[in-house]
Amino acid sequence: KHQRGFVLFKRKGGNARHHSLYSLRKMLQCLSVSSDACGIRPKISQSRSGGIEAAAHSQLYGMWLLCLCLPRKTRFGRHKSAGKKLGSVRRKSMSQELLRSSSPHIHDDHLTRKDMLHVLIACIPALIAAVILFGLKSLQVVGLCVLFCVLTELLYCLLLRRPVYTGDLSAAVTGVLLGMNLPVSVSLYACLIGSIAAILVAKQLFGGIGQNFVNPALFGRAVMLLCFPKEMTAWSGGNSFVGLKSSATPLEFLSESANLSDLPSVKELFFGFRCGCIGETCILAIILGGLYLIFAKVISPIIPLTFLGSAAVLTCFLSPAPLRELMSGGLFFGAVFMATDYTTSPTSGWGKAVFGIGCGILTVIIRHFASSVEGVSYAILFMNLTVPYIERYIRPKPFGIGTKAVKTQ
């Protein structure tokens, strides 16, 4: 059942012994402790100083057959590990090109396009809620951001004669997330500037997908906040049958120490009956999308839970209406869709927990002690810069370290 390849030892007249390459450390311990454990006889020769016993422990053990299953290319260009049957591998590998590249060599069906497609599917509930709350204008904003992001990446790759990777849907996901972080009344040229900043500056200039140091969608939104502050803070009402009117957001009411009776109720905040960005208003839709990503194993629940948990604990001490403040702004949307980006978040479990706690604390601090009433975007961008240091100082334990040595009778 091993798909990572294996080493096959066989002695003359005996059965073959398989050892997975993943447990290579234990295989070496097994060879150094006892030859009978692996079924291999040592080469014993006379030594000048220690005699036969010293030479037996200093020589390498002989093997009759060493079979390495090498990765190869399929006709679709994807890497594929060796099959389970050696006979089929030997027949097929003769006519196919072996891989000559650096590690990792073993690849599976966990493709970038598949993950991006899952993210797009998870955004559908929030988009449906945005259409109900704000009308078809919300789809127009999101569609323009997707179009500008894809065209920017395509033109950049064509002009610099680089491989075009728009088919992996990463640019489309960036456009969708950027559009859902904007108000419904934003202008066309503002969407163009934000999309160019997200794809060209934050992503392509640093090497493309997997090389960006900050979240491209949040970087584009930050650029738009600096270039178009009035448009980015102008909240218009929604559909007439919903009853939304142009007004301040709940966070702006709280920052001005207004009467709590002017705030929307918890039920209204949960279903999105308030002013705000396109994708951040309906908490129910965001939770549905987050659960889909978790069950599809696209994201880990560590970052969203630590993000929301740390923000909830600190908000209870600083806010007169902690529950309403937590359900206001882009806290839920940022914790589920923005902070869980693969490239700009840690890989280890403890690193993700530290990253999520830092995002939650910074969000509350910016909300209460800075001039901006919303701190989710800036908190995530700041923590994106600390990811290399988190990865350096919070490392997972390597395989085989800390385990007891192999004991043989």
Side-chain angles (χ1 to χ4, degrees):
K1 64 180 180 180
H2 299 288
Q3 294 295 329
R4 300 177 182 269
F6 56 85
V7 179
L8 184 144
F9 292 97
K10 185 177 182 181
R11 63 178 180 177
K12 188 175 182 180
N15 297 325
R17 299 297 180 95
H18 295 74
H19 296 276
S20 172
L21 290 178
Y22 186 71
S23 57
L24 185 59
R25 184 185 302 273
K26 290 186 178 295
M27 183 188 70
L28 295 178
Q29 293 177 357
C30 178
L31 289 176
S32 62
V33 173
S34 173
S35 62
D36 296 332
C38 294
I40 305 168
R41 292 183 179 179
K43 292 182 179 179
I44 302 177
S45 61
Q46 185 67 26
S47 176
R48 293 183 180 179
S49 58
I52 296 178
E53 295 182 358
H57 290 282
S58 62
Q59 298 285 337
L60 290 175
Y61 295 104
M63 65 182 70
W64 288 95
L65 176 64
L66 173 62
C67 181
L68 292 176
C69 295
L70 300 177
R72 53 189 172 82
K73 285 184 179 179
T74 64
R75 60 188 180 92
F76 297 102
R78 296 185 298 176
H79 300 177
K80 186 176 181 181
S81 61
K84 298 181 181 180
K85 297 181 180 180
L86 293 177
S88 61
V89 172
R90 290 172 180 172
R91 290 192 300 269
K92 294 180 180 180
S93 60
M94 296 299 293
S95 60
Q96 293 180 347
E97 180 185 359
L98 293 177
L99 298 179
R100 299 183 301 273
S101 62
S102 59
S103 60
H105 300 293
I106 307 303
H107 295 256
D108 55 11
D109 294 333
H110 197 75
L111 303 177
T112 303
R113 179 184 175 88
K114 186 177 180 180
D115 290 339
M116 296 297 108
L117 184 60
H118 282 305
V119 176
L120 292 176
I121 295 174
C123 292
I124 291 177
L127 287 175
I128 294 176
V131 173
I132 297 175
L133 297 171
F134 301 106
L136 294 177
K137 177 68 174 178
S138 58
L139 283 183
Q140 180 182 350
V141 173
V142 175
L144 287 175
C145 290
V146 173
L147 178 63
F148 292 149
C149 286
V150 173
L151 289 180
T152 302
E153 182 168 324
L154 179 62
L155 292 177
Y156 178 84
C157 295
L158 292 178
L159 290 176
L160 273 69
R161 297 182 180 180
R162 293 185 177 181
V164 179
Y165 294 108
T166 53
D168 60 5
L169 300 180
S170 60
V173 169
T174 302
V176 171
L177 296 180
L178 175 62
M180 296 177 71
N181 275 282
L182 303 179
V184 71
S185 59
V186 69
S187 60
L188 173 65
Y189 56 86
C191 296
L192 177 62
I193 297 298
S195 301
I196 294 176
I199 296 297
L200 184 61
V201 179
K203 181 181 177 182
Q204 293 297 334
L205 291 184
F206 290 91
I209 184 172
Q211 305 296 328
N212 50 289
F213 67 100
V214 293
N215 190 300
L218 287 182
F219 182 82
R221 184 178 189 271
V223 171
M224 295 176 68
L225 281 171
L226 294 175
C227 298
F228 313 100
K230 292 185 178 180
E231 291 189 18
M232 293 295 293
T233 55
W235 314 109
S236 61
N239 290 329
S240 58
F241 67 90
V242 176
L244 285 179
K245 297 181 180 181
S246 300
S247 63
T249 62
L251 289 178
E252 292 175 346
F253 280 115
L254 290 173
S255 64
E256 296 173 359
S257 301
N259 189 4
L260 295 181
S261 60
D262 297 332
L263 292 174
S265 63
V266 175
K267 182 180 179 180
E268 292 176 341
L269 291 174
F270 184 75
F271 290 102
F273 296 101
R274 63 178 178 87
C275 291
C277 294
I278 293 174
E280 69 179 20
T281 55
C282 185
I283 305 299
L284 175 62
I286 298 173
I287 293 176
L288 292 177
L291 291 177
Y292 173 80
L293 293 177
I294 292 174
F295 284 112
K297 297 182 180 180
V298 177
I299 65 172
S300 172
I302 298 177
I303 292 180
L305 292 179
T306 53
F307 195 157
L308 296 174
S310 58
V313 172
L314 197 57
T315 303
C316 291
F317 295 97
L318 298 176
S319 176
L323 184 57
R324 296 184 183 183
E325 180 174 338
L326 289 174
M327 300 177 69
S328 303
L331 182 62
F332 277 81
F333 187 82
V336 173
F337 290 99
M338 311 306 295
T340 54
D341 179 48
Y342 283 160
T343 308
T344 57
S345 62
T347 56
S348 62
W350 286 108
K352 292 178 181 179
V354 173
F355 180 83
I357 293 173
C359 290
I361 294 175
L362 287 176
T363 298
V364 179
I365 291 176
I366 294 173
R367 283 183 173 183
H368 287 270
F369 301 102
S371 58
S372 177
V373 296
E374 178 59 278
V376 176
S377 299
Y378 298 111
I380 297 176
L381 288 174
F382 181 83
M383 290 303 299
N384 289 157
L385 302 178
T386 64
V387 169
Y389 302 99
I390 296 176
E391 295 279 67
R392 178 182 300 178
Y393 296 107
I394 303 179
R395 296 181 179 179
K397 185 179 294 185
F399 179 79
I401 299 299
T403 58
K404 296 181 180 180
V406 178
K407 296 182 179 180
T408 58
Q409 297 180 353

